[in-house]
């Protein structure tokens, strides 16, 4: 076991931060580390927007579902799918929209941008944690995508995907147990016996229920399959596809 793996395994979401700011040097190191992540075909189809202004973070906290740590963190990073920059690249080379539209509006190009942004974000998270900072991903920004886009002044073909709070932990939380390795890693093919998956999920249910029981003093003992089932039974953000189309990303 080396220091990098130990740091990765220590990850937990931090939702309480001290007032100590994140320095410019740290921000540059975090963003630089994000840029060093792998990127499909070198397109680098993402932009990172850093939010330091308290009033802007307060509004984003409201839009994300009143998540207080979005308001209280010293730095909020927002990772955006950015196909606008690629469109500009083509225009600079004299390649007009009639030749680029099909590519820019393809599901493949959208997927490339989302994957690029996610890879960059995870590099940023690891870099931040290596400096003693804590982070928490914020998917709630997709609750109100139009309002978020207006606040951030993002142009068409640029989509804020998720945020990341960054700061010094005030109240470090306990790491939440993940699925057992045997439930997520399969060799050569997907599992051929569904019973194998079910057995591992039942064992994991016991682990997660005990985790919640200890954390809440017995007030909660939710099983993981119960949690996921309830989540699927209440679909949300069903307007996301329409929102993408409004940003000139009608996926084909």
């Amino acid at each position: 076991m080396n220091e990098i793996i130990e740091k990765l395994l220590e990850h937990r979401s931090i939702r309480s931060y001290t007032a100590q700011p994140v320095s410019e040097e740290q921000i540059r190191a975090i963003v630089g580390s994000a840029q060093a992540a792998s990127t499909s075909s070198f397109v680098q189809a993402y932009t990172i927007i850093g939010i330091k202004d308290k009033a802007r973070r307060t509004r984003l906290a409201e839009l994300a579902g009143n998540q207080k740590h979005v308001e209280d963190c010293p730095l909020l990073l927002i990772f955006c799918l950015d196909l606008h920059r690629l469109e500009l690249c083509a225009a600079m080379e004299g390649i007009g929209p009639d030749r680029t539209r099909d590519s820019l509006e393809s599901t493949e190009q959208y997927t490339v941008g989302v994957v690029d942004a996610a890879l960059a974000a995870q590099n940023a998270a690891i870099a931040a944690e290596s400096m003693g900072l804590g982070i928490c991903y914020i998917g709630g920004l997709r609750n109100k995508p139009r309002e978020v886009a207006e606040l951030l002044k993002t142009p068409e073909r640029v989509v804020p995907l998720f945020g990341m709070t960054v700061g010094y932990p005030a109240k470090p939380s306990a790491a939440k147990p993940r699925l057992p390795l045997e439930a997520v890693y399969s060799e050569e093919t997907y599992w051929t016996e569904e019973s194998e998956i079910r057995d591992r999920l039942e064992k994991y249910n016991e682990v997660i229920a005990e985790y919640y029981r200890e954390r809440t003093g017995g007030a909660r003992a939710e099983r993981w399959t119960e949690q996921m089932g309830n989540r699927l039974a209440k679909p949300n953000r069903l307007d996301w596809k329409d929102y993408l189309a409004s940003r000139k990303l009608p996926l084909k």
Side-chain angles (χ1 to χ4, degrees), residues 10-14 171-178 211 215:
E10 288 172 359
H11 168 74
R12 69 279 320 273
S13 295
I14 300 298
K171 297 177 183 177
S173 55
K176 187 177 291 186
R178 295 317 202 238
Y211 166 81
R215 184 175 176 180

Side-chain angles (χ1 to χ4, degrees), residues 76-206:
L76 175 66
L77 299 177
I78 299 179
F79 290 80
C80 304
L81 162 74
D82 190 346
L83 302 186
H84 175 67
R85 185 165 53 231
L86 297 184
E87 192 172 33
L88 287 179
C89 289
M92 290 170 65
E93 299 302 319
I95 303 172
D98 58 318
R99 294 174 59 191
T100 61
R101 186 175 296 109
D102 285 346
S103 181
L104 288 169
E105 296 178 0
S106 69
T107 301
E108 167 61 14
Q109 193 59 63
Y110 171 79
T111 302
V112 163
V114 171
V115 172
D116 268 15
L119 292 174
Q122 193 57 20
N123 260 29
I126 296 166
E129 290 175 341
S130 76
M131 293 184 282
L133 298 163
I135 69 98
C136 183
Y137 280 97
I138 308 296
L141 293 180
R142 297 193 300 280
N143 292 343
K144 301 285 185 179
R146 290 171 176 81
E147 292 87 342
V148 170
E150 181 179 358
L151 185 65
L152 300 179
K153 303 186 185 306
T154 51
E156 291 177 333
R157 303 198 194 281
V158 175
V159 177
L161 296 171
F162 53 84
M164 179 189 291
T165 58
V166 184
Y168 285 95
K171 297 177 183 177
S173 55
K176 187 177 291 186
R178 295 317 202 238
L179 283 160
L181 184 147
E182 295 79 13
V184 298
Y185 177 69
S186 177
E187 292 189 337
E188 310 305 338
T189 68
Y190 197 82
W191 295 277
T192 56
E193 296 295 332
E194 190 172 288
S195 60
E196 293 182 59
I197 306 175
R198 288 177 175 270
D199 288 344
R200 287 161 186 160
L201 291 179
E202 286 295 355
K203 291 177 182 178
Y204 184 55
N205 275 338
E206 296 174 9

